[in-house]
Amino acid sequence: MARTFDDLLAEAEDAPVEGWDFSWLDGRATEERPSWGYQRSMAGRLASASAALDVQTGGGEVLAGAAGALPATMVATESWPPNVEKATRLLHPLGAVVVADPDEPPLPFADEAFDLVTSRHPATVHWTEIARVLRPGGTYFAQHVGHASVFELVEYFLGPQPEAARLRHPDLECAQARAAGLDVVDVRCERLRTEFFDVGAVVYFLRKVIWMVPGFTVAAHRERLRALHDRIQADGPFVAHATRTLVEARKPARG
């Protein structure tokens, strides 16, 4: 028997959303993956680093999955308490220290503390702080959520967002990196098809990725959710497009 609208909402509202594991969506939503294989490339850079920092690590899943050979000094930061707890359980056995940090400047580390800074899908990018904690010759290697990512879904709930759609454009991020004193070595951007097969998947996604529709609750958006449920039932999956940007920037060596 097909689950009702109310059943789907209740199930998605009850699902835990800590960490950065999206396996709850298996069979309910899909998203194409970027061609460059960020976690694999991240692992290669970690293996050759002496001191590394993973910023906004979430529940530590990405770092743990790239941890074939962590450097002697490995630190991760995270702001959300449930994620801090999860990342600590996952990363401490691998030799990484997890630091609770509010994701606001300054980073709680000395100047030139790391030769590698990584981040997958940071909510904010504080370029000046990244440059400060990198050693000369050190590298920032990250995969960012790009501009207008999944905006078909965002604008379904919020209406047109032309100013927000321009934020995090790769040209803008490259300019910010250079203004902080970093040399941009590589930047790539891809647009990736995303499908939501039921309204519960949408609710779970918006509860987990809280900056997409700020203040999202089922109660406040029930009418739009009902219309979306009816649309999916009639026409099939709700289709959106995620954008991802790969960024590699380097702090110039002295002299």
Side-chain angles (χ1 to χ4, degrees):
M1 179 184 294
R3 285 168 292 182
T4 68
F5 172 67
D6 288 330
D7 289 341
L8 291 167
L9 294 190
E11 182 184 17
E13 280 193 290
D14 288 342
V17 292
E18 70 273 7
W20 210 237
D21 175 9
F22 285 80
S23 59
W24 191 88
L25 291 173
D26 290 350
R28 308 183 70 155
T30 61
E31 180 184 289
E32 288 183 289
R33 292 290 177 258
S35 62
W36 48 72
Y38 175 74
Q39 190 176 54
R40 181 178 63 252
S41 298
M42 176 186 178
R45 285 162 173 78
L46 287 168
S48 61
S50 60
L53 168 66
D54 191 47
V55 178
Q56 299 180 36
T57 198
E61 300 91 347
V62 176
L63 179 58
L70 291 181
T73 299
M74 184 72 238
V75 184
T77 65
E78 175 55 31
S79 61
W80 193 40
N83 277 352
V84 172
E85 180 181 352
K86 184 174 183 180
T88 298
R89 291 197 310 267
L90 191 59
L91 296 176
H92 273 199
L94 302 177
V97 174
V98 178
V99 176
D101 175 72
D103 292 340
E104 294 292 339
L107 285 166
F109 307 107
D111 296 357
E112 302 182 6
F114 304 99
D115 55 346
L116 176 66
V117 176
T118 61
S119 193
R120 181 180 179 273
H121 301 177
T124 52
V125 183
H126 301 294
W127 291 104
T128 301
E129 281 299 287
I130 290 166
R132 180 183 66 79
V133 301
L134 276 174
R135 296 170 182 166
T139 295
Y140 175 67
F141 183 70
Q143 179 176 293
H144 294 174
V145 174
H147 62 293
S149 187
V150 198
F151 253 53
E152 296 93 338
L153 186 61
V154 171
E155 294 187 334
Y156 176 83
F157 288 97
L158 300 180
Q161 304 286 305
E163 293 301 319
R166 286 191 281 270
L167 298 176
R168 309 202 72 167
H169 191 282
D171 291 348
L172 175 62
E173 294 200 315
C174 286
Q176 292 169 337
R178 294 183 182 109
L182 300 174
D183 295 330
V184 177
V185 176
D186 190 14
V187 59
R188 308 177 214 173
C189 189
E190 292 184 358
R191 186 167 167 83
L192 308 160
R193 184 180 176 91
T194 302
E195 296 183 341
F196 296 91
F197 299 117
D198 66 65
V199 73
V202 171
V203 170
Y204 178 84
F205 178 79
L206 295 178
R207 288 182 60 228
K208 196 173 185 76
V209 190
I210 58 176
W211 53 86
M212 301 300 290
V213 178
F216 172 83
T217 65
V218 167
H221 296 87
R222 187 177 180 87
E223 183 177 338
R224 290 297 283 163
L225 288 167
R226 179 78 221 196
L228 182 58
H229 171 74
D230 293 343
R231 172 175 165 178
I232 291 172
Q233 292 290 302
D235 301 331
F238 182 91
V239 178
H241 295 84
T243 52
R244 299 289 180 261
T245 303
L246 183 74
V247 180
E248 184 170 6
R250 188 166 298 139
K251 187 171 181 175
R254 286 196 180 95

